[in-house]
Amino acid sequence: MTTDTSAFKAALLASIACAGLVTPMAAFAQTAAAAAASTDENDESNIIIITASKRSATLQDTPISVAVTGRAQIEESQIRDLKDLQTLVPSLRVNQLQSSANTNFIIRGFGNGANNAGIEPSVGVFIDGVYRSRSAAQIGDLPNLERVEVLRGPQSTLFGKNASAGIISIVTSEPKFDFGGNAEVSYGNYNAIIVKGGVTGGLTDKIAVSLDGNYNKRDGYGFDVGLNQKVNERNRWGVRGSLLFKASEDFKVRLIADYDKIDENCCLTANIVDGPTGNAVRAVGGRVISNQPFAYVSASNIPSSNKIANYGISGQIDWNLSDTLALTSITAYRRVDSDTNQDSDFTSADLIGNNENHTNIKTFTQELRLASTFDGPVNFLLGGFYFNEKIDIDSNLTFGKDFKNYANALSGGAYSSLEPTLRALLPGTPAGTFGAQGQGVFEKYNYKNEAYSIFGQVDFEPVEGLTLTAGGNYTHDKKAVTANVVSTDVFSGLDLVLAGVRAGVPATVANTSANPFLGLRGLQFLPPFLNFPNSVEDGKTNDSKFTYTLRAAYKFSDSLSTYATYATGFKASSFNLSRDSRPTSANFIPGSPAQVPAPAPSAIRSAGLAVTNLTTGTRFADPENATVYEVGMKGQFDGFSFNLALFKQSLKGFQGNIFTGTGFVLGNAEKQSTTGIELDALMSPIKNLTITTNFTYLNPKFDSFTGGTALQPGSFATVPTNLTGQRPAGIPEFSYTLGATYSAKLNDTMKATFHVDYFGSSPVLIAQGLNYKREEQSLNASITLAVTQGLEVSIWGRNLADSQYITTLFPGVAQSGSLQGYPSQPRTYGGLVRYRF
């Protein structure tokens, strides 16, 4: 029987065309009801083509500080996700925090976002030109990566409102008209299994398709003694289909549909300091794994679940209107559905029964741009961008069955024994036992954001080699938020000052230690919440900003160029969508009406809106405004290339976002600045040997941050602190990578490739206010044997020296004097088989 290979391929590709676009769409419906970093081994010139400036250009000819990581480097270094990318790009920091949906990107020491959905990141993430607005939409394992570009410094002129610190641009491979594909299977310690594969080819001479998928599963490297199960596992998969319609060399359309799913128990939290509350936890039968962060052992009473679905469709049209004008349109609609739950007291005692969060994000974006390629001295790029996003959040934090006994252990029994007295003094107190299981805070937020940008850039070459660039961007951003938060914590709704007055304490000292009831104020964890919008707070922001870039670039020769840039950036206002959202001091003066003197008048109190135990804080953070002065030089010679940048970057109104264990403190630094140096170099001293080095020096400081917050030594409480003049925590002075790759041809069909890279950084404070430091290190290596045409076998290891450090610190929840943190990932290693066809 004869097999018709071409017929088989056509049938297979027809199936791909359907599956690639229908499979994600089916999941979509079910859940809802820059050219490659061309490191081609056959290309001895090794020219890297990128799209950092929304035009295809060589890295040498792109006058921006940009780090590019190509497919080969990603494979050799076993970069499993964006979190691993920081070991190759030292000016990039990626922090994994309290859930699988919570990843924070930082460039040059600037960045925020994290797990507060109201806070947009300062580092914009784009995948195939589509903006991913929240970290939950950015962290999937993307198959068939072509390159990752990290643009350092403000990029608002071309990328809009949320690029005040930089851009991460991820590019996947387009479908090919030649039939081909790849498949790989990796197995490592902790039973880590990763399967990736893809196939591509042409259906006709004008239509090509591709279908790629990935599966990533790993046992947890931690163990929870309370649950008797492993934690910090991996369990995620995804599928991505793409169709390319190329009508001619001047017109093409690319459609992409993708769906990925995460269902994991993450993330392990370690006790750093077992404070005085630890004995109270043990008194109610709970366990605390004290001061052993790198034993990777925790104690919980419920698993930390993370169920995240991230999916969307996009279409890009590239149309050469003429030999000198090109039009590009990118349209996308995306959704993220996230359901998480966490034992937020991080003990096996049932103190916090649930900390559930259900978040749904719907995002529509449209970009349109026109670019010229004139032969003359002037070229331009003109475009517009529209953004529309809706977020719905439904969350709750409730007391567990052990909370009441725990509160009694902390108060010597007063929490319960004083209940009859307090009820008698405060008639009308709601029914329900103090601290009863199921009491808590129940939150609903509705967030709407609409924005548009108009941008343009002109390049003028008055003489050969010299290019003068001027660009501008006008962005208008408006947001509207509705909060409906209800606290059923009976005890937190009591006015203990009023109780003291009615018990005979003089009103003039009722708000001092003379009032015996105030010793219980520390147990009022979940006080009533003032919802908004209200007659004083409209729950809206409306921001407009013009940002611009001025640049001069000079090309001395084909091998050496330099540039100088002044640019501004912008990030719109962010809302604090958490139970720590509070009115500002301009709208409210805290205090009890029963105290003497009474609190000063304020707009909220005068409007009759004040609720018991209301304090001040922030509802939202004002916009960020960035500026950067930067000079750079780029060189590419036989056997050696480098990119050097020196800069001074500042952010006025930097949006600080501090995690408190169950919520967030949001505010603006008046000014934060960083002076730094970035150097990326590659050399090939002998044939088949490539050595890479990347170095970053950062000298950041808070020029002015009078309304800052820090963790207080001893209690570890988040307290107001004037941070002016201090160095921001978490930003090392030096970061560097050193890597080497050597390829040896063993015979006509076999080749061996040896790769090693090392990442390190200088010691740095982990949290503002505390003298705890981390020093990051990671030694990674791989050996790959190309056995026959297309078949490769590898062994690999990451963090081979098993370096250990704490990534993040935060106060223990309802446990004053206790400190928690997230330990770094331990050594991982394994083997891989890959086949390309």
Side-chain angles (χ1 to χ4, degrees):
M1 182 176 177
T2 307
T3 301
D4 187 339
T5 304
S6 60
F8 170 76
K9 290 181 180 179
L12 177 61
L13 292 170
S15 300
I16 296 168
C18 296
L21 295 175
V22 174
T23 300
M25 287 297 291
F28 195 101
Q30 182 180 4
T31 308
S38 178
T39 52
D40 186 346
E41 296 173 357
N42 298 319
D43 183 4
E44 294 184 357
S45 64
N46 228 13
I47 295 174
I48 300 175
I49 305 296
I50 62 174
T51 54
S53 57
K54 299 202 174 184
R55 298 174 181 265
S56 293
T58 67
L59 179 60
Q60 174 72 17
D61 291 338
T62 302
I64 298 173
S65 180
V66 53
V68 185
T69 306
R71 173 183 56 80
Q73 193 174 11
I74 289 171
E75 292 176 351
E76 290 165 355
S77 299
Q78 285 296 307
I79 301 299
R80 298 305 180 97
D81 54 28
L82 286 180
K83 187 161 66 74
D84 293 335
L85 189 64
Q86 63 187 327
T87 61
L88 298 180
V89 184
S91 57
L92 173 68
R93 282 286 177 278
V94 185
N95 293 330
Q96 177 80 57
L97 300 178
Q98 71 266 36
S99 74
S100 296
N102 183 5
T103 305
N104 192 19
F105 300 100
I106 300 170
I107 295 178
R108 291 180 173 176
F110 298 103
N112 47 34
N115 206 34
N116 191 333
I119 304 173
E120 296 175 282
S122 299
V123 176
V125 175
F126 290 77
I127 300 178
D128 289 324
V130 176
Y131 177 55
R132 302 288 183 96
S133 66
R134 297 297 187 279
S135 61
Q138 303 163 355
I139 58 177
D141 299 339
L142 289 174
N144 207 15
L145 275 179
E146 192 168 281
R147 72 183 182 278
V148 179
E149 304 172 8
V150 179
L151 286 65
R152 299 172 286 211
Q155 306 295 329
S156 296
T157 299
L158 295 181
F159 289 92
K161 65 170 183 164
N162 292 321
S164 56
I167 288 293
I168 300 173
S169 177
I170 301 167
V171 181
T172 64
S173 298
E174 280 190 349
K176 305 293 192 298
F177 283 91
D178 294 329
F179 181 76
N182 64 86
E184 69 175 66
V185 178
S186 174
Y187 181 80
N189 59 334
Y190 305 109
N191 287 321
I193 299 174
I194 295 180
V195 180
K196 293 182 180 181
V199 64
T200 186
L203 290 177
T204 70
D205 60 348
K206 298 184 184 301
I207 298 175
V209 293
S210 65
L211 177 64
D212 299 282
N214 61 281
Y215 174 78
N216 185 341
K217 188 173 179 61
R218 183 198 69 205
D219 291 346
Y221 57 77
F223 188 78
D224 193 308
V225 296
L227 300 171
N228 193 31
Q229 68 180 51
K230 296 176 181 179
V231 293
N232 266 41
E233 64 182 7
R234 275 291 173 90
N235 185 17
R236 52 183 68 177
W237 61 270
V239 63
R240 183 180 182 85
S242 182
L243 183 147
L244 176 66
F245 171 61
K246 193 171 183 179
S248 67
E249 291 301 317
D250 294 323
F251 185 86
K252 68 177 182 179
V253 178
R254 184 184 181 188
L255 303 177
I256 300 172
D258 65 271
Y259 181 92
D260 59 74
K261 185 73 177 285
I262 294 174
D263 186 356
E264 298 174 347
N265 183 343
C266 179
C267 300
L268 182 144
T269 302
N271 175 269
I272 308 301
V273 176
D274 185 359
T277 56
N279 289 331
V281 172
R282 285 179 276 270
V284 298
R287 294 185 63 180
V288 178
I289 308 302
S290 305
N291 312 320
Q292 303 176 57
F294 301 111
Y296 298 104
V297 177
S298 62
S300 305
N301 60 283
I302 60 170
S304 294
S305 61
N306 300 264
K307 297 182 179 181
I308 305 162
N310 169 41
Y311 47 100
I313 55 175
S314 66
Q316 178 168 334
I317 300 172
D318 294 292
W319 185 12
N320 293 329
L321 301 176
S322 67
D323 292 340
T324 56
L325 291 175
L327 182 70
T328 298
S329 172
I330 303 175
T331 307
Y333 176 77
R334 300 205 58 81
R335 282 197 59 168
V336 176
D337 299 324
S338 172
D339 295 288
T340 64
N341 193 11
Q342 187 177 56
D343 181 8
S344 290
D345 59 71
F346 306 113
T347 75
S348 63
D350 190 11
L351 309 183
I352 304 298
N354 286 292
N355 186 4
E356 297 178 303
N357 182 286
H358 309 280
T359 299
N360 303 108
I361 305 174
K362 303 174 184 178
T363 309
F364 173 80
T365 57
Q366 171 65 56
E367 181 176 2
L368 191 67
R369 61 180 186 262
L370 180 69
S372 72
T373 54
F374 299 134
D375 291 333
V378 177
N379 275 289
F380 70 87
L381 184 148
L382 180 65
F385 179 77
Y386 175 76
F387 175 86
N388 189 302
E389 184 167 74
K390 297 179 181 179
I391 302 177
D392 293 306
I393 300 174
D394 187 346
S395 65
N396 66 79
L397 185 147
T398 58
F399 294 145
K401 63 181 178 60
D402 295 328
F403 179 81
K404 184 183 179 92
N405 291 335
Y406 172 72
N408 279 316
L410 290 178
S411 63
Y415 187 74
S416 290
S417 65
L418 289 176
E419 180 171 350
T421 302
L422 288 169
R423 285 189 177 276
L425 293 171
L426 300 171
T429 298
T433 304
F434 290 178
Q437 183 178 6
Q439 291 182 15
V441 61
F442 299 83
E443 305 169 76
K444 291 182 183 293
Y445 302 98
N446 179 265
Y447 169 103
K448 297 179 180 179
N449 182 197
E450 187 175 30
Y452 66 85
S453 299
I454 300 172
F455 59 89
Q457 182 170 291
V458 176
D459 297 323
F460 174 52
E461 189 176 6
V463 296
E464 185 176 358
L466 175 65
T467 301
L468 305 177
T469 299
N473 180 305
Y474 174 78
T475 294
H476 180 76
D477 179 277
K478 61 180 181 179
K479 297 182 174 77
V481 174
T482 299
N484 182 12
V485 180
V486 177
S487 174
T488 61
D489 177 5
V490 175
F491 182 71
S492 292
L494 302 182
D495 185 346
L496 298 179
V497 174
L498 177 60
V501 171
R502 289 179 175 174
V505 178
T508 53
V509 294
N511 200 27
T512 71
S513 58
N515 183 346
F517 299 125
L518 291 190
L520 299 176
R521 181 175 277 177
L523 296 173
Q524 293 185 309
F525 297 118
L526 304 173
F529 187 93
L530 176 60
N531 286 310
F532 62 94
N534 51 56
S535 59
V536 176
E537 304 168 296
D538 63 6
K540 296 179 180 179
T541 60
N542 199 324
D543 306 317
S544 297
K545 185 69 176 181
F546 178 77
T547 57
Y548 59 94
T549 297
L550 301 173
R551 181 185 299 117
Y554 186 71
K555 194 170 184 178
F556 296 100
S557 66
D558 290 339
S559 301
L560 187 65
S561 62
T562 187
Y563 67 91
T565 299
Y566 175 77
T568 63
F570 170 68
K571 177 187 170 185
S573 300
S574 289
F575 270 92
N576 188 357
L577 302 185
S578 84
R579 60 189 64 90
D580 288 326
S581 172
R582 300 184 181 99
T584 66
S585 57
N587 289 327
F588 182 67
I589 306 298
S592 168
Q595 70 188 47
V596 175
S602 60
I604 285 176
R605 199 177 295 277
S606 299
L609 298 172
V611 295
T612 304
N613 297 327
L614 182 64
T615 58
T616 58
T618 59
R619 295 294 196 193
F620 62 89
D622 290 325
E624 291 180 354
N625 293 286
T627 59
V628 65
Y629 297 88
E630 181 174 314
V631 294
M633 180 170 286
K634 302 191 176 200
Q636 185 165 358
F637 309 92
D638 289 339
F640 177 69
S641 63
F642 73 91
N643 297 289
L644 174 67
L646 292 79
F647 63 89
K648 181 176 177 57
Q649 185 172 329
S650 63
L651 273 179
K652 292 184 178 180
F654 176 72
Q655 295 175 0
N657 179 43
I658 306 299
F659 178 54
T660 63
T662 62
F664 301 86
V665 177
L666 178 63
N668 290 96
E670 291 89 346
K671 184 179 180 182
Q672 178 182 337
S673 64
T674 298
T675 302
I677 302 171
E678 294 162 337
L679 174 65
D680 305 323
L682 180 149
M683 65 190 75
S684 183
I686 61 173
K687 186 178 180 181
N688 299 328
L689 174 63
T690 301
I691 298 173
T692 59
T693 183
N694 309 88
F695 171 82
T696 298
Y697 164 78
L698 297 175
N699 183 23
K701 70 173 180 177
F702 289 120
D703 301 271
S704 179
F705 197 178
T706 55
T709 57
L711 297 184
Q712 185 178 55
S715 70
F716 304 119
T718 303
V719 295
T721 307
N722 186 346
L723 299 177
T724 301
Q726 293 189 27
R727 183 185 182 96
I731 307 173
E733 184 176 13
F734 299 103
S735 302
Y736 53 90
T737 63
L738 180 64
T741 303
Y742 180 74
S743 298
K745 191 173 183 180
L746 305 180
N747 55 41
D748 290 341
T749 61
M750 298 179 66
K751 183 181 74 171
T753 301
F754 305 86
H755 174 82
V756 62
D757 63 76
Y758 177 80
F759 166 76
S761 66
S762 56
V764 62
L765 290 177
I766 304 174
Q768 216 73 43
L770 302 182
N771 192 28
Y772 288 84
K773 295 185 178 182
R774 70 165 181 254
E775 186 173 357
E776 299 180 53
Q777 299 177 1
S778 182
L779 175 63
N780 315 301
S782 66
I783 301 174
T784 301
L785 182 65
V787 182
T788 60
Q789 185 67 33
L791 179 62
E792 299 174 359
V793 179
S794 300
I795 57 173
W796 56 270
R798 291 193 59 81
N799 189 21
L800 288 172
D802 204 20
S803 298
Q804 299 175 333
Y805 52 90
I806 299 298
T807 63
T808 305
L809 293 172
F810 60 92
V813 177
Q815 298 168 72
S816 177
S818 293
L819 188 66
Q820 305 290 133
Y822 294 103
S824 59
Q825 182 170 295
R827 177 194 298 117
T828 55
Y829 51 85
L832 178 146
V833 177
R834 179 185 295 115
Y835 182 64
R836 308 182 202 275
F837 57 91

